[in-house]
Amino acid sequence: MKNLKYQVKSLNVGKIETLTYGNRTFESAIRKKSVKEPIFLSKTGFMSDEQAYEHHGGEDKAICLYPYDYYSYWSDILNNFSNTALFGENLTVKGLKEDNAHIGDIYTFGEAIIQVSEPRNPCYKLAAKYEVPNMVIRMRDTGYTGFLLRVLKEGMVTSNDDLELLEEHPQQVSVSLVNDVKFFDRFNKEKLEKVLSVDALSESLRAILLKQFQSKTTNLWG
């Protein structure tokens, strides 16, 4: 097994607020702040962290991770650029990206054990926050979406703890491949079958991809 560690640049939590960006007002916990002190990570996420949207959070989506590696790409594109929790992610991590993270990969993180479950789905709130109308399309087209994880073992964690690969999923279906069948090669039976065969895929995304596998109806996205 590969002995891989990935540095956590920041651990971020936030509370639900009513935010107004331009002509949009909505409930969101996207303005997360980094914390240095130890924090408890439960099956549903970090203590003191909140999610305003029904499709965020839950046991399959307890943690949102975004690669720090992409911050330099976005720095010339976004208004009000932030070096912390740029996209409201819980974990900003260096070196762990969509192409080398696989659905079902398991990592130790402090006392906790966590597992990759699905790509993050970009939403309009990011476009509103940064005043970039095509923000969602940019994230989709670059593949710089980040991804979500579930918690297999609860425990105390800190921003000084690395993510260390404990077990690589044997099927090695990358987050990038899942993004591909979500957004582009949507009716490729071989790719869809490969993704759907991974037991660790989140149930909500499995239901969506299963419909794609069973139907040739085009569902526009973005």
Side-chain angles (χ1 to χ4, degrees), residues 75-210:
S75 64
D76 294 330
I77 296 170
L78 305 183
N79 297 308
N80 308 313
F81 181 81
S82 171
N83 282 306
T84 302
L86 184 62
F87 295 122
E89 71 270 15
N90 300 115
L91 294 178
T92 311
V93 178
K94 188 174 182 181
L96 184 57
K97 301 183 291 183
E98 296 82 359
D99 58 355
N100 64 347
H102 309 101
I103 304 299
D105 282 356
I106 298 173
Y107 297 86
T108 59
F109 177 41
E111 295 178 352
I113 298 176
I114 60 180
Q115 182 182 45
V116 180
S117 59
E118 67 165 89
R120 180 189 186 162
N121 200 42
C123 72
Y124 73 89
K125 293 179 182 180
L126 300 176
K129 178 180 180 181
Y130 290 112
E131 302 173 10
V132 179
N134 67 346
M135 182 76 200
V136 173
I137 294 173
R138 280 181 179 269
M139 294 188 83
R140 178 194 69 185
D141 290 352
T142 57
Y144 298 168
T145 60
F147 48 93
L148 306 177
L149 303 98
R150 62 173 61 88
V151 178
L152 301 181
K153 177 179 177 290
E154 299 178 332
M156 298 298 296
V157 300
T158 76
S159 60
N160 293 323
D161 295 322
D162 292 329
L163 265 59
E164 184 171 1
L165 183 64
L166 180 64
E167 182 179 332
E168 188 173 52
H169 196 277
Q171 288 167 270
Q172 296 190 44
V173 171
S174 69
V175 174
S176 292
L177 176 60
V178 182
N179 274 333
D180 184 41
V181 296
K182 276 182 66 180
F183 302 135
F184 301 107
D185 203 3
R186 300 184 67 243
F187 300 105
N188 185 311
K189 296 286 190 181
E190 183 179 350
K191 288 182 182 178
L192 281 165
E193 192 169 27
K194 184 174 183 180
V195 172
L196 288 166
S197 70
V198 180
D199 55 357
L201 184 69
S202 71
E203 288 305 312
S204 58
L205 183 54
R206 180 182 302 280
I208 293 169
L209 297 183
L210 186 59

Side-chain angles (χ1 to χ4, degrees), residues 23 63 68 124 133:
N23 61 356
I63 303 169
Y68 180 74
Y124 73 89

Side-chain angles (χ1 to χ4, degrees), residues 10-88:
S10 65
L11 191 167
N12 317 299
V13 298
K15 297 291 187 182
I16 296 172
E17 308 170 274
T18 300
L19 302 174
T20 299
Y21 293 113
N23 61 356
R24 283 185 178 269
T25 298
F26 49 80
E27 298 289 308
S28 178
I30 196 172
R31 294 201 310 173
K32 298 192 188 300
K33 297 180 180 179
S34 63
V35 292
K36 299 295 184 183
E37 66 273 12
I39 190 168
F40 184 71
L41 176 58
S42 76
K43 292 280 188 178
T44 54
F46 293 97
M47 190 71 69
S48 304
D49 190 51
E50 297 179 348
Q51 294 89 25
Y53 183 46
E54 64 177 329
H55 298 299
H56 295 171
E59 291 196 4
D60 274 350
K61 307 175 185 183
I63 303 169
C64 178
L65 182 153
Y66 199 79
Y68 180 74
D69 309 66
Y70 304 144
Y71 271 48
S72 59
Y73 170 82
W74 295 112
S75 64
D76 294 330
I77 296 170
L78 305 183
N79 297 308
N80 308 313
F81 181 81
S82 171
N83 282 306
T84 302
L86 184 62
F87 295 122

